[in-house]
Amino acid sequence: MSDTSWLDNPALKNLDARKLAVIVELMNETEGKPLEKTVPAIMKANMKLKSQNLAFTQDETSLIFDILTRNMSPEEKTKFSNLRKLMESKAKGFRK
């Protein structure tokens, strides 16, 4: 059975229902998966939001990464953090 305790986070209380649905789908899809399987799921979630003319804010993105890494080992968290920085720098390049 999956751990849904992250849904109790107060930051999710006023989140747009469409965004929350994408987050729930992302968490279900990535639970127990290695980092290599998580990255494509994150990209898929972002594409889904874009198709609805939505985007995660920086705070929402940070919250998602916190939720995604809650059960990772310190080594996995470091890899994930480095990957996140890379993804953010590439995203900034696309926005210029």
Side-chain angles (χ1 to χ4, degrees), residues 50-65:
K50 284 182 183 180
S51 73
Q52 299 176 45
N53 292 321
L54 295 171
F56 289 123
T57 65
Q58 283 187 322
D59 288 341
E60 291 164 349
T61 300
S62 291
L63 176 62
I64 291 166
F65 284 123

Side-chain angles (χ1 to χ4, degrees), residues 8-51:
D8 297 329
N9 189 314
L12 296 172
K13 184 175 182 168
N14 295 319
L15 192 65
D16 182 296
R18 297 168 295 177
K19 288 183 177 184
L20 183 58
V22 171
I23 293 172
V24 169
E25 184 177 321
L26 173 63
M27 296 308 146
N28 287 336
E29 190 172 330
T30 60
E31 185 175 8
K33 301 273 173 61
L35 184 60
E36 297 78 27
K37 302 282 184 181
T38 302
V39 174
I42 293 169
M43 295 171 72
K44 179 180 165 187
N46 276 323
M47 294 296 286
K48 188 168 191 168
L49 279 184
K50 284 182 183 180
S51 73

Side-chain angles (χ1 to χ4, degrees), residues 62-75:
S62 291
L63 176 62
I64 291 166
F65 284 123
D66 289 344
I67 294 168
L68 283 169
T69 60
R70 71 192 185 285
N71 296 322
M72 288 183 179
S73 69
E75 295 82 19

